[in-house]
């Protein structure tokens, strides 16, 4: 039974309408709907009022329209992360004498294991789709390293262990809201390193601009200190120049 018709008379949310449109788009890509039928049904989906109406639109194009579960968080709401309860998603990321880079939109399972053995992985969760409100991410680094980027809009709990290695966790001052999804991260580093950061990694341009700003601020502070040592305030200096 579709999750839509588990409460058929409940009014549909914007997130559920968007999910229905996604299912219709996939059906058209598979050849189940023509372009004209797709356009007609998308318009109908946005005009629906109840879950029963959404279910009727999907009944002949999907055996189980919401087999991946229900949307708990709408990613369009600020920095909220999408949680679509159900099966599927990456369960492991293995890097042995090599590297892995997971970023962009991808789905992660309720439990995911990252292994870095003489290798490394960069795991960016900023555009992730979660399969459960509570996600367990275990990161094992043996003579290797892993970097985890977590988004705003999620709560994060980190436990760490290092043997002849190091773990560096910096989550900043962001305060998640009650009810936000929870990501539990376990870092185990043996002659390796684990790193956790909140937010997207700055681009090269952003890093260069930040360095230039810090350099400019330091020059300004140095100038003010020099003027103060000379016994001349900036206002007095300007007056003398006039």
């Amino acid at each position: 039974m579709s999750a839509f018709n588990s409460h058929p008379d409940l009014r549909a949310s914007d997130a559920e309408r968007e999910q229905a449109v996604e299912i219709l788009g996939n059906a058209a890509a598979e050849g189940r709907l023509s372009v004209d039928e797709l356009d007609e049904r998308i318009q109908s989906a946005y005009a629906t009022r109840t879950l029963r109406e959404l279910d009727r639109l999907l009944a002949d194009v999907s055996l189980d329209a919401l087999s991946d579960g229900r949307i708990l968080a709408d990613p369009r709401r600020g920095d909220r992360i999408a949680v679509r309860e159900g099966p599927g998603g990456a369960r492991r990321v293995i890097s042995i004498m090599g590297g892995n880079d997971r970023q962009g939109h991808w789905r992660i399972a309720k439990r995911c294991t990252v292994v870095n053995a003489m290798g490394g992985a960069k795991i960016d969760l900023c555009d992730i789709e979660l399969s459960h409100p509570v996600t367990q991410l275990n990161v094992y680094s043996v003579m290797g390293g892993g970097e985890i980027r977590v988004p705003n809009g999620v709560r994060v709990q980190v436990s760490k262990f290092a043997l002849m290695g190091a773990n560096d966790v910096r989550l900043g001052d962001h305060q998640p809201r009650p009810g936000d999804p929870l990501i539990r991260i376990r870092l185990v580093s043996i002659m390796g390193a684990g790193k956790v950061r909140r937010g997207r990694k700055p681009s090269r341009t952003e890093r260069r601009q930040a360095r230039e700003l810090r350099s400019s601020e330091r020059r300004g502070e140095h100038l003010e200190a020099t003027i103060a040592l000379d016994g001349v305030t900036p206002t007095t200096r300007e007056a003398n120049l006039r």
Side-chain angles (χ1 to χ4, degrees):
M1 175 180 289
S2 164
F4 278 159
N5 57 37
S6 59
H7 300 284
D9 296 320
L10 185 68
R11 283 185 174 268
S13 68
D14 288 340
E16 287 158 341
R17 292 188 185 94
E18 290 289 348
Q19 189 177 6
V21 169
E22 181 181 347
I23 293 170
L24 291 170
N26 291 335
E30 295 169 354
R32 300 178 189 274
L33 294 174
S34 68
V35 174
D36 291 338
E37 289 172 326
L38 174 63
D39 181 64
E40 180 182 348
R41 294 205 190 190
I42 286 177
Q43 293 184 40
S44 297
Y46 283 124
T48 55
R49 292 180 299 173
T50 66
L51 297 181
R52 187 194 303 273
E53 293 171 348
L54 280 181
D55 194 59
R56 287 172 181 168
L57 286 175
L58 305 174
D60 63 344
V61 297
S62 175
L63 293 176
D64 189 358
L66 285 184
S67 60
D68 280 344
R70 59 194 178 99
I71 289 179
L72 298 183
D74 184 352
R76 296 172 302 161
R77 294 175 54 192
D79 56 8
R80 298 299 296 274
I81 297 300
V83 181
R84 197 187 302 272
E85 283 191 294
R91 295 181 178 276
R92 59 185 64 86
V93 179
I94 309 297
S95 302
I96 300 176
M97 299 182 69
N100 268 303
D101 189 357
R102 296 299 301 265
Q103 60 182 343
H105 179 76
W106 58 293
R107 179 175 171 84
I108 189 171
K110 180 180 178 180
R111 296 181 65 89
C112 182
T113 299
V114 178
V115 177
N116 304 309
M118 299 179 67
K122 295 181 180 179
I123 309 297
D124 189 339
L125 304 177
C126 291
D127 295 306
I128 199 72
E129 177 183 277
L130 302 174
S131 58
H132 195 271
V134 180
T135 302
Q136 178 70 45
L137 181 62
N138 298 318
V139 183
Y140 302 99
S141 299
V142 181
M143 299 179 67
E147 178 180 346
I148 313 297
R149 288 270 170 181
V150 297
N152 294 329
V154 298
R155 294 171 292 145
V156 180
Q157 296 176 356
V158 181
S159 61
K160 49 188 179 177
F161 170 81
L163 177 62
M164 299 179 68
N167 293 311
D168 186 10
V169 178
R170 302 180 191 178
L171 295 176
D173 298 326
H174 176 76
Q175 295 296 326
R177 291 161 292 193
D180 280 344
L182 171 63
I183 297 178
R184 294 193 176 110
I185 301 175
R186 185 186 183 197
L187 299 176
V188 177
S189 301
I190 301 174
M191 299 179 67
K195 180 191 299 184
V196 179
R197 297 287 186 271
R198 188 182 289 278
R200 302 178 188 277
K201 186 174 182 177
S203 65
R204 290 184 178 180
T205 300
E206 291 171 334
R207 293 197 298 271
R208 186 185 70 250
Q209 292 174 343
R211 288 196 300 269
E212 292 172 350
L213 178 59
R214 290 193 298 269
S215 178
S216 177
E217 290 175 346
R218 286 195 295 268
R219 286 196 298 269
E221 293 172 355
H222 178 71
L223 177 59
E224 291 180 1
T226 301
I227 292 173
L229 288 173
D230 290 342
V232 181
T233 65
T235 304
T236 305
R237 183 182 180 88
E238 293 175 3
N240 291 340
L241 290 175
R242 291 197 296 269

